[in-house]
Amino acid sequence: MLILVRHGQTDANARGLLCGHVDHPLTDLGRRQARALAAALPRPARIVTSPLGRARQTAAVLAGDRPVEVDERWIEMDYGRLDGVVPTDVDGGTWTRWHTDPDFAPPGGESLAAVGKRVREACLDLADDAARGDVVVVSHVSPIKAAVAWALGVGDTAVWRLFLGDAAVCRIDTSAPVPVLRCFSSPA
Protein backbone atom coordinates (compact mmCIF):
# COMPACT_ATOMS: atom_id res chain seq x y z
CA MET A 1 0.00 0.00 0.00
CA LEU A 2 1.22 3.49 -0.85
CA ILE A 3 0.34 5.54 2.24
CA LEU A 4 0.52 9.27 1.62
CA VAL A 5 0.72 11.44 4.73
CA ARG A 6 0.42 15.21 4.80
CA HIS A 7 2.77 16.75 7.35
CA GLY A 8 1.41 18.09 10.62
CA GLN A 9 0.21 21.63 11.15
CA THR A 10 2.48 24.66 10.77
CA ASP A 11 1.68 28.22 11.76
CA ALA A 12 1.33 29.14 8.07
CA ASN A 13 -1.16 26.29 7.49
CA ALA A 14 -3.15 27.41 10.50
CA ARG A 15 -3.31 30.93 9.03
CA GLY A 16 -4.42 29.59 5.63
CA LEU A 17 -1.37 30.80 3.69
CA LEU A 18 -0.09 29.29 0.46
CA CYS A 19 2.94 27.36 1.71
CA GLY A 20 5.22 26.28 -1.08
CA HIS A 21 8.94 26.13 -0.58
CA VAL A 22 9.02 28.50 2.40
CA ASP A 23 9.94 26.15 5.22
CA HIS A 24 7.77 26.56 8.29
CA PRO A 25 8.33 24.24 11.29
CA LEU A 26 5.58 22.20 12.87
CA THR A 27 3.54 23.79 15.63
CA ASP A 28 2.96 22.02 18.96
CA LEU A 29 -0.26 20.68 17.45
CA GLY A 30 1.67 19.54 14.35
CA ARG A 31 4.10 17.58 16.55
CA ARG A 32 1.16 15.98 18.41
CA GLN A 33 -0.42 15.09 15.06
CA ALA A 34 2.85 13.42 13.97
CA ARG A 35 2.95 11.37 17.19
CA ALA A 36 -0.68 10.31 16.67
CA LEU A 37 0.12 9.25 13.11
CA ALA A 38 3.11 7.23 14.33
CA ALA A 39 0.92 5.41 16.82
CA ALA A 40 -1.81 4.65 14.28
CA LEU A 41 0.05 3.77 11.07
CA PRO A 42 1.50 0.33 10.35
CA ARG A 43 5.27 -0.10 10.44
CA PRO A 44 6.16 0.45 6.76
CA ALA A 45 8.83 -1.23 4.67
CA ARG A 46 10.00 2.24 3.54
CA ILE A 47 9.51 5.85 4.60
CA VAL A 48 10.03 8.57 2.00
CA THR A 49 9.77 12.30 2.60
CA SER A 50 9.87 15.67 0.94
CA PRO A 51 13.07 17.61 1.65
CA LEU A 52 11.18 20.41 3.43
CA GLY A 53 11.56 20.55 7.20
CA ARG A 54 7.86 20.27 8.07
CA ALA A 55 7.64 16.97 6.18
CA ARG A 56 11.01 15.75 7.49
CA GLN A 57 9.94 16.52 11.07
CA THR A 58 6.77 14.48 10.58
CA ALA A 59 8.65 11.64 8.87
CA ALA A 60 11.25 11.50 11.65
CA VAL A 61 8.51 10.93 14.23
CA LEU A 62 6.95 8.21 12.05
CA ALA A 63 10.33 6.54 11.47
CA GLY A 64 11.60 6.42 15.02
CA ASP A 65 15.02 4.78 14.65
CA ARG A 66 14.49 3.65 11.03
CA PRO A 67 16.00 5.42 8.01
CA VAL A 68 14.04 8.01 6.06
CA GLU A 69 14.62 8.54 2.34
CA VAL A 70 14.43 12.10 1.00
CA ASP A 71 12.97 12.43 -2.49
CA GLU A 72 12.89 15.90 -4.06
CA ARG A 73 9.91 14.93 -6.22
CA TRP A 74 7.65 15.03 -3.14
CA ILE A 75 8.42 18.70 -2.38
CA GLU A 76 5.46 21.09 -2.28
CA MET A 77 4.52 23.03 -5.39
CA ASP A 78 6.62 26.15 -5.85
CA TYR A 79 4.14 29.02 -5.59
CA GLY A 80 6.80 31.54 -6.60
CA ARG A 81 5.80 35.07 -5.64
CA LEU A 82 2.52 33.74 -4.22
CA ASP A 83 4.33 31.80 -1.50
CA GLY A 84 3.11 33.01 1.88
CA VAL A 85 0.07 34.79 0.41
CA VAL A 86 -3.49 34.36 1.68
CA PRO A 87 -5.45 32.78 -1.21
CA THR A 88 -8.12 35.48 -1.03
CA ASP A 89 -5.39 38.03 -1.89
CA VAL A 90 -4.71 36.34 -5.25
CA ASP A 91 -6.49 38.21 -8.05
CA GLY A 92 -9.42 36.49 -9.74
CA GLY A 93 -7.79 36.30 -13.16
CA THR A 94 -4.80 34.44 -11.75
CA TRP A 95 -7.06 31.98 -9.89
CA THR A 96 -9.17 31.35 -12.96
CA ARG A 97 -6.15 30.72 -15.15
CA TRP A 98 -4.49 28.54 -12.49
CA HIS A 99 -7.65 26.45 -12.04
CA THR A 100 -8.23 25.87 -15.74
CA ASP A 101 -4.78 25.75 -17.35
CA PRO A 102 -2.50 23.01 -15.94
CA ASP A 103 0.49 24.61 -17.71
CA PHE A 104 0.01 27.97 -16.00
CA ALA A 105 2.63 28.81 -13.38
CA PRO A 106 2.37 31.77 -11.01
CA PRO A 107 5.24 34.26 -11.43
CA GLY A 108 8.45 32.52 -10.39
CA GLY A 109 6.54 29.32 -9.58
CA GLU A 110 5.65 25.89 -10.88
CA SER A 111 2.69 24.63 -12.92
CA LEU A 112 0.26 21.89 -11.92
CA ALA A 113 1.45 19.93 -14.95
CA ALA A 114 5.05 20.04 -13.69
CA VAL A 115 3.99 18.87 -10.22
CA GLY A 116 1.85 16.12 -11.75
CA LYS A 117 4.70 14.90 -13.95
CA ARG A 118 7.25 14.61 -11.15
CA VAL A 119 4.76 13.02 -8.75
CA ARG A 120 3.56 10.46 -11.31
CA GLU A 121 7.20 9.45 -11.84
CA ALA A 122 7.69 9.14 -8.06
CA CYS A 123 4.52 7.04 -7.72
CA LEU A 124 5.61 4.71 -10.52
CA ASP A 125 9.02 4.29 -8.86
CA LEU A 126 7.34 3.27 -5.57
CA ALA A 127 4.46 1.21 -6.99
CA ASP A 128 6.19 -2.20 -7.00
CA ASP A 129 7.48 -1.85 -3.44
CA ALA A 130 4.07 -0.57 -2.30
CA ALA A 131 2.40 -3.60 -3.92
CA ARG A 132 4.50 -5.88 -1.68
CA GLY A 133 4.50 -3.86 1.56
CA ASP A 134 3.53 -0.52 3.03
CA VAL A 135 5.45 2.50 1.78
CA VAL A 136 4.78 5.76 3.64
CA VAL A 137 5.41 9.06 1.86
CA VAL A 138 5.30 12.25 3.94
CA SER A 139 4.58 15.19 1.70
CA HIS A 140 2.34 18.21 1.11
CA VAL A 141 -1.06 19.13 -0.28
CA SER A 142 -0.19 19.53 -3.96
CA PRO A 143 1.99 16.42 -4.42
CA ILE A 144 -0.44 14.22 -2.51
CA LYS A 145 -3.38 15.47 -4.55
CA ALA A 146 -1.30 14.90 -7.72
CA ALA A 147 -0.70 11.29 -6.59
CA VAL A 148 -4.45 10.87 -6.06
CA ALA A 149 -5.08 12.24 -9.57
CA TRP A 150 -2.56 9.65 -10.85
CA ALA A 151 -4.40 6.87 -9.02
CA LEU A 152 -7.75 7.99 -10.40
CA GLY A 153 -6.43 8.51 -13.92
CA VAL A 154 -7.72 12.09 -14.08
CA GLY A 155 -6.14 15.31 -15.31
CA ASP A 156 -4.00 17.65 -13.25
CA THR A 157 -6.73 20.26 -12.69
CA ALA A 158 -8.86 17.72 -10.81
CA VAL A 159 -6.71 18.50 -7.76
CA TRP A 160 -8.58 21.78 -7.28
CA ARG A 161 -11.67 19.73 -6.36
CA LEU A 162 -9.95 17.97 -3.45
CA PHE A 163 -9.42 19.09 0.15
CA LEU A 164 -6.63 17.55 2.21
CA GLY A 165 -6.37 18.36 5.91
CA ASP A 166 -3.26 18.62 8.07
CA ALA A 167 -1.84 15.20 9.03
CA ALA A 168 -4.37 13.53 6.71
CA VAL A 169 -3.72 10.11 5.21
CA CYS A 170 -4.48 8.77 1.72
CA ARG A 171 -4.04 5.13 0.75
CA ILE A 172 -3.41 3.94 -2.81
CA ASP A 173 -3.38 0.21 -3.48
CA THR A 174 -0.79 -0.47 -6.17
CA SER A 175 -1.19 -4.27 -6.20
CA ALA A 176 -4.04 -4.26 -8.77
CA PRO A 177 -3.54 -3.80 -12.54
CA VAL A 178 -4.29 -0.09 -12.02
CA PRO A 179 -3.85 1.98 -8.84
CA VAL A 180 -6.91 2.02 -6.58
CA LEU A 181 -7.63 4.86 -4.15
CA ARG A 182 -8.62 3.15 -0.87
CA CYS A 183 -9.07 6.28 1.25
CA PHE A 184 -8.61 10.02 0.96
CA SER A 185 -7.89 12.68 3.60
CA SER A 186 -8.68 10.47 6.55
CA PRO A 187 -7.16 10.38 9.99
CA ALA A 188 -4.55 7.63 10.29
Side-chain angles (χ1 to χ4, degrees):
M1 186 73 61
L2 184 57
I3 302 171
L4 306 170
V5 177
R6 183 178 178 202
H7 60 79
Q9 183 195 65
T10 68
D11 180 59
N13 295 121
R15 293 186 298 145
L17 304 179
L18 293 172
C19 300
H21 289 190
V22 175
D23 213 356
H24 303 277
L26 297 179
T27 61
D28 289 339
L29 173 59
R31 287 186 290 280
R32 287 194 305 273
Q33 290 170 328
R35 288 191 296 272
L37 286 165
L41 289 173
R43 186 174 174 91
R46 291 174 68 184
I47 299 177
V48 179
T49 186
S50 154
L52 294 176
R54 57 193 184 263
R56 290 175 72 133
Q57 284 180 282
T58 303
V61 173
L62 297 178
D65 60 352
R66 291 173 287 146
V68 175
E69 304 168 43
V70 176
D71 186 336
E72 296 282 335
R73 296 174 295 182
W74 291 102
I75 196 168
E76 179 58 289
M77 172 186 271
D78 185 352
Y79 295 120
R81 284 190 247 151
L82 297 180
D83 215 339
V85 172
V86 178
T88 55
D89 289 346
V90 177
D91 73 86
T94 298
W95 271 122
T96 299
R97 184 142 182 235
W98 207 358
H99 282 233
T100 57
D101 179 0
D103 294 313
F104 171 78
E110 181 179 28
S111 71
L112 282 174
V115 174
K117 180 180 185 305
R118 66 176 160 86
V119 169
R120 284 188 296 276
E121 290 171 359
C123 288
L124 290 170
D125 286 349
L126 294 174
D128 286 343
D129 283 352
R132 293 187 301 274
D134 292 328
V135 174
V136 169
V137 175
V138 182
S139 189
H140 312 271
V141 170
S142 298
I144 292 173
K145 292 192 310 184
V148 169
W150 165 76
L152 297 174
V154 297
D156 295 316
T157 58
V159 303
W160 293 112
R161 296 173 180 243
L162 304 172
F163 175 81
L164 186 67
D166 294 335
V169 175
C170 302
R171 287 179 167 82
I172 299 173
D173 184 349
T174 60
S175 66
V178 296
V180 176
L181 181 64
R182 295 287 180 189
C183 77
F184 177 78
S185 195
S186 73

